[in-house]
Every structure is written in C-alpha cells, then in structure tokens.
Amino acid sequence: DQQVKQNSPSLSVQEGRISILNCDYTNSMFDYFLWYKKYPAEGPTFLISISSIKDKNEDGRFTVFLNKSAKHLSLHIVPSQPGDSAVYFCAATPAQKLVFGQGTRLTINP
Amino acid sequence: GAGVSQTPSNKVTEKGKYVELRCDPISGHTALYWYRQSLGQGPEFLIYFQGTGAADDSGLPNDRFFAVRPEGSVSTLKIQRTERGDSAVYLCASSRVGGGHNEQFFGPGTRLTVL
C-alpha cells in the first residue's frame, strides 16, 4: 500500500509564478516530513523538511505546509525559476527509513 | 568534500547471474541506507546500517538480496539469481548519524538492467 502519495505526476508553471506541489500520507505514525529534488542521472537532494509539531517551515523561496488533520503537506516555490525544473519527491519517516511518494515532475516555462 | 559515490553507474546482466553494487558513503557518516527506485516510482527502502550492523533490513524483498558493511564505511549490495523484475536504479544514501530526521545524502545510483 502506498503510504505517501503524490497524485500529480507532472506540473507546468510559468517562470516567476508560484509552484505548489502536494502530498498526502496515510500513516499517523509519521512525525517528520521532507521534500527532495531530483535531476536526471543524479541522486535526490534534500530541499526542506518539517516536523509534525509545526505547520509551516520556510527557507528562502521554499515553504512547506503541513496539515496533520488532513494528512496533507504541500511545497510552495515562489517565485519559480527555470532551475527549479526537476522531479520532486515528498518523503515521511517515523524513525529511520524514508518512505517516498511517486514524485511530481515540475517544469518551469520561460 | 566528496559526496556519496556508487559503482558501477550502469550494470547490465543476464537473468540468473549474480551482481554486486558498491556504495562509498561520505567520510565519517555512520548511517548508510539502500533504496531501490523503479521506473515512475519513488525510492523504496531496502536496508539501513548503523555502523557495521544492519539495523533494519525489512525492505529487502527476498533472500536473494543481501548487503554488507564490514568496516562501517563501504557497503555492498549483493543480488543472487537476478530476475528481470530486479531492474531498477539502486540508490545509496548516508547520514552523519542514524534516524530519518537526519539529512540523508544520496549517491547518483546504479542502474541495473537484467535481460
């Protein structure tokens, strides 16, 4: 069963606009959530994280929002830049290992 | 400093053969993880080492898969009697200490193709 779901396989956004990537989870034991970014032929790189005791974490152009009651998190990128084009994975963890979603391919159009 | 490295970058083998995939973690990182990414999916956890010991191997799909980390640094993932369904990108990650709250740094992966 897929405990972390990213229901949008792809997203296209105009440069300068806001990109919003969504993620849902089912396991109430998850207490820490992360977003990773992946370019082709490279491993995923950490972007931003949030603890379950918070509902928002911000780092520059990137903000992650967590809605525990809805078991939903989102990543906001504003303003979007061409270099943001990549596959984004959300991940969750109760302890050691990471449980990943399927990924969303973000394309920023000039 | 050097990141996580994995060799080979690509491996093509025939069904039934044995393969070894190597991971060199970031120096000083005590925790090491193996994940597998199939086409169109996110990485899927296989095994986690804390030092030399496998702290969690619950993600290994069956007994054809085995991993070692004898000196607490380099790790080798071993797959016996490979099957076409084993074709995937195998990712290795390391972190300074164990625990999912600690940033995991990923290598570029080994793309395994079983013909």
Side-chain angles (χ1 to χ4, degrees):
Chain A
D1 64 335
Q2 192 76 26
Q3 298 187 68
V4 178
K5 294 183 181 179
Q6 294 175 256
N7 292 316
S8 297
S10 62
L11 176 67
S12 185
V13 175
Q14 192 171 3
E15 181 179 0
R17 299 289 184 100
I18 184 170
S19 295
I20 301 177
L21 296 99
N22 294 301
C23 179
D24 298 294
Y25 64 96
T26 58
N27 191 336
S28 300
M29 298 301 293
F30 290 150
D31 65 352
Y32 198 71
F33 303 87
L34 310 90
W35 284 93
Y36 277 79
K37 177 179 179 179
K38 186 179 184 305
Y39 292 118
E42 295 183 10
T45 55
F46 170 77
L47 199 55
I48 193 169
S49 62
I50 188 167
S51 166
S52 60
I53 63 173
K54 295 185 175 182
D55 56 16
K56 177 182 175 181
N57 188 26
E58 192 171 353
D59 183 3
R61 296 186 297 115
F62 303 91
T63 303
V64 56
F65 295 91
L66 175 62
N67 182 332
K68 282 184 64 179
S69 60
K71 293 190 175 66
H72 178 83
L73 66 155
S74 61
L75 174 68
H76 292 209
I77 307 173
V78 55
S80 300
Q81 300 174 354
D84 296 331
S85 295
V87 177
Y88 289 78
F89 293 98
C90 70
T93 179
Q96 311 296 340
K97 64 188 180 186
L98 296 177
V99 180
F100 285 87
Q102 308 97 308
T104 296
R105 181 178 300 279
L106 176 64
T107 302
I108 306 301
N109 302 307
Chain B
V4 177
S5 63
Q6 293 185 244
T7 54
S9 55
N10 280 284
K11 176 71 177 178
V12 180
T13 190
E14 293 180 343
K15 180 176 177 294
K17 299 289 189 182
Y18 169 83
V19 297
E20 289 190 351
L21 312 179
R22 176 187 168 109
C23 172
D24 283 83
I26 293 173
S27 178
H29 280 195
T30 63
L32 185 146
Y33 307 79
W34 283 98
Y35 293 84
R36 176 169 72 172
Q37 186 177 10
S38 301
L39 194 63
Q41 301 296 316
E44 180 184 19
F45 170 78
L46 295 176
I47 186 169
Y48 154 59
F49 287 90
Q50 182 57 52
T52 60
D56 182 353
D57 64 357
S58 62
L60 294 178
N62 52 59
D63 61 5
R64 296 187 297 106
F65 289 75
F66 189 71
V68 295
R69 195 186 184 200
E71 297 179 358
S73 179
V74 170
S75 176
T76 305
L77 178 66
K78 309 181 181 194
I79 310 174
Q80 299 178 324
R81 304 183 305 279
T82 51
E83 300 177 356
R84 293 194 178 88
D86 299 336
S87 296
V89 176
Y90 289 80
L91 294 163
C92 175
S94 70
S95 63
R96 191 172 54 83
V97 295
H101 295 201
N102 297 290
E103 182 180 346
Q104 296 183 23
F105 295 82
F106 282 81
T110 294
R111 180 176 298 277
L112 175 66
T113 302
V114 182
L115 302 177

